[in-house]
Amino acid sequence: MSRLLTIDTIYHEPTVGTFARGREILDRFPEARRIEVPSHWNIPELHGNAGSVEDWVRIKRSTLVLGVKKGLTSRPNGRSAHFIAPSSSNGCAMACAYCYVPRRKGYANPITLFVNTEAVGRAIQRHAAAQGPLPAPDQIDDRVWVYDIGENGDLSVDALACDSVRDLVGLFRAIPNAKASFATKFVNRDLLAYAPEGKTRIRFSLMPERIARVVDVRTSPMPERIAAIDAFVAAGYEVHVNFSPVILYEGWEEDWRALFRALDAGIGPAARAQLKAEIIFLTHNAALHAVNLRWHPKAEALLWRPDIQETKRSEGGMENLRYRTGWKGRWLTRFKALLAEELPDCTVRYAF
């Protein structure tokens, strides 16, 4: 088991033991204390844990939540993917300072694994069958519909705890008109044995290493992520990169230039030939800023820049801080120009 997970406490809904996946996970952590809860969202010990920021890493490392996924709808996306698939999990064992995912479980937000993954898979199959073939190539994919299967977590880490990710990769291998996609900041080489046969797109998130050491807490180092790309391509994955988040500070351009050069030097011809990228500029919010000041103020010196940020309501109704509109456009243009200079064959699929 990775250093990321040393599970000693499992909160679980009453029926998880009636599912094969639930029994699999419980058996994988036989020594863990088990605490039954009415709902994977309704856990008083975790809710509101902004007051226990000193325990965040411990909670993420040692706590697992098991539940039954209720909503099985695939919803339109149109950015990174065509659809967001019903999730097999939410939460994460990593602790990136800018993470937007923390919700009703509190800011520590440990991994919740859903045990009814067969129902999730059937729902995805039905939805894909109803779509028919992709009408025409687009910026998301040339041939098939793309389903993001990891919107609210990191599936490379989930795979340390159960076989849901292996099952999802196998599911999409058998769906003729669709592929899976998920972003990751963790190199889990167990995934190399999953035989995706080109039907799963893994997107390694990359940023300058010296900044990642401050804000990408508990993730795989940047050189390790880059070094894994060739192996994942050889194993049958489509491998793209997310330049995410792009954080603006004095000297950001030269740091990104160095990263582009490290990426160029670190991958072979096969990876380079299929490489595409997403560019995602930082989104932050005042509530997370206030909490981060209590456990990681050094990160906030990079993330909280009201002098160049503005408030904007997200599609989910949250008040977020983003780089000011006119300036962001100019910075994005400069970022793309740098990328074109250093990695001219790397197509930008999506920029936000």
Side-chain angles (χ1 to χ4, degrees), residues 291-323:
V291 173
N292 280 352
L293 285 176
R294 299 178 56 188
W295 80 284
H296 197 7
K298 187 177 180 181
E300 285 305 300
L302 287 165
L303 304 177
W304 184 256
R305 291 291 307 277
D307 56 321
I308 56 173
Q309 292 166 328
E310 63 184 2
T311 301
K312 186 174 182 179
R313 185 174 294 275
S314 72
E315 291 181 356
M318 292 186 66
E319 289 286 342
N320 290 328
L321 279 177
R322 295 175 181 167
Y323 294 119

Side-chain angles (χ1 to χ4, degrees), residues 11-307:
Y11 295 94
H12 64 91
E13 292 181 353
T15 62
V16 299
T18 66
F19 293 86
R21 174 90 341 118
R23 294 191 295 274
E24 170 203 331
I25 298 167
L26 291 171
D27 289 346
R28 190 167 296 195
F29 304 102
E31 304 301 321
R33 178 176 56 134
R34 302 178 185 181
I35 303 172
E36 185 174 307
V37 292
S39 166
H40 66 90
W41 285 123
N42 184 16
I43 305 174
E45 295 93 325
L46 299 179
H47 182 73
N49 57 30
S52 302
V53 293
E54 66 276 3
D55 286 335
W56 277 13
V57 170
R58 179 191 61 79
I59 293 169
K60 285 177 170 293
R61 180 179 61 245
S62 65
T63 302
L64 198 61
V65 181
L66 304 182
V68 178
K69 178 70 174 176
K70 306 301 191 295
L72 297 176
T73 301
S74 291
R75 68 182 196 276
N77 178 245
R79 290 179 174 177
S80 181
H82 294 106
F83 302 103
I84 304 297
S87 57
S88 60
S89 68
N90 65 52
C92 189
M94 296 181 285
C96 299
Y98 49 80
C99 183
Y100 67 91
V101 170
R103 294 177 183 174
R104 284 177 286 171
K105 279 184 295 176
Y107 280 92
N109 200 36
I111 295 172
T112 292
L113 298 173
F114 296 121
V115 298
N116 56 329
T117 47
E118 292 182 353
V120 170
R122 289 193 296 269
I124 294 171
Q125 285 178 306
R126 288 194 299 269
H127 189 274
Q131 305 312 307
L134 183 71
D138 58 25
Q139 60 93 15
I140 297 171
D141 197 75
D142 293 338
R143 299 183 300 105
V144 297
W145 301 102
V146 177
Y147 288 75
D148 193 316
I149 59 173
E151 181 190 30
N152 292 320
D154 192 309
L155 270 64
S156 296
V157 181
D158 295 349
L160 296 172
C162 71
D163 287 336
S164 293
V165 181
R166 183 191 294 270
D167 291 349
L168 285 167
V169 171
L171 174 79
F172 278 92
R173 191 170 57 230
I175 299 177
N177 65 331
K179 70 172 60 167
S181 178
F182 66 93
T184 186
K185 298 169 190 172
F186 178 66
V187 177
N188 182 350
R189 290 182 175 266
D190 291 346
L191 274 63
L192 296 173
Y194 288 6
E197 297 180 6
K199 299 301 294 297
T200 293
R201 173 186 295 164
I202 187 166
R203 301 166 356 246
F204 282 102
S205 294
L206 303 177
M207 69 165 63
E209 175 66 15
R210 75 181 185 94
I211 302 303
R213 285 197 294 267
V214 178
V215 300
D216 262 21
V217 183
R218 308 193 80 227
T219 65
S220 296
M222 219 55 54
E224 185 178 347
R225 300 184 209 178
I226 292 172
I229 291 175
D230 279 356
F232 276 81
V233 170
Y237 289 91
E238 180 182 40
V239 180
H240 290 183
V241 290
N242 284 3
F243 299 126
S244 169
V246 178
I247 300 169
L248 299 176
Y249 53 90
E250 190 71 28
W252 67 271
E253 291 168 298
E254 288 311 306
D255 282 354
W256 279 98
R257 187 187 298 278
L259 174 71
F260 296 152
R261 290 179 177 178
L263 176 59
D264 187 42
I267 61 175
R272 187 175 286 104
Q274 53 87 75
L275 187 68
K276 296 184 180 180
E278 298 179 14
I279 303 169
I280 303 171
F281 275 66
L282 173 71
T283 297
H284 200 27
N285 66 67
L288 183 57
H289 167 66
V291 173
N292 280 352
L293 285 176
R294 299 178 56 188
W295 80 284
H296 197 7
K298 187 177 180 181
E300 285 305 300
L302 287 165
L303 304 177
W304 184 256
R305 291 291 307 277
D307 56 321

